Amino acid sequence: MFSFNYLSLAAAALLVPSVSHAEDLVFSFENQTSYAIVELYASPSTTAEWEEDILGRDILEAGEAARVTIADGRRACEYDLRVVFEDGDVIEDTTDLCETESYTITE
């Protein structure tokens, strides 16, 4: 079980490279709840399935923030986010990551 005050994460490990050069989407992801986040997914809204878990084996504890980089080569801005907490609760939301410098989960 790993815990960091500020993580640097990338979500491009198993994605097919693109010939176009889209900019990486970078934002601060803040956990302002009382529970640790054990899984975090971000997938373009046009995709029917979730991409790989961004946190991997890491955990984002309550009150912590992580710098997230999505370097998937896509030109999409609208992403679906799926957050799984240590108690099994799940939150899903859609946001424009091109316009977002930070995203905060609150209770």
Side-chain angles (χ1 to χ4, degrees):
M1 198 180 267
F2 297 98
S3 174
F4 300 95
N5 287 332
Y6 203 75
L7 303 172
S8 179
L9 307 169
L14 300 174
L15 301 174
V16 177
S18 173
V19 292
S20 64
H21 290 84
E23 287 189 36
D24 295 348
L25 297 173
V26 180
F27 62 100
S28 174
F29 184 85
E30 300 177 31
N31 179 7
Q32 295 299 317
T33 71
S34 309
Y35 299 94
I37 295 172
V38 296
E39 296 174 28
L40 172 62
Y41 302 91
S43 298
S45 294
T46 57
T47 304
E49 296 184 19
W50 292 107
E51 303 288 339
E52 185 176 330
D53 176 15
I54 293 170
L55 293 177
R57 292 186 289 175
D58 293 327
I59 292 173
L60 189 62
E61 295 290 345
E64 292 183 338
R67 181 175 167 87
V68 176
T69 300
I70 299 176
D72 60 10
R74 295 181 173 127
R75 293 190 179 274
C77 286
E78 192 169 288
Y79 275 73
D80 295 329
L81 301 177
R82 178 179 171 89
V83 179
V84 180
F85 293 93
E86 64 186 336
D87 65 354
D89 283 350
V90 175
I91 293 177
E92 292 181 358
D93 191 18
T94 301
T95 190
D96 184 337
L97 292 180
C98 295
E99 298 294 324
T100 302
E101 291 183 19
S102 67
Y103 187 90
T104 303
I105 295 288
T106 59
E107 295 182 79

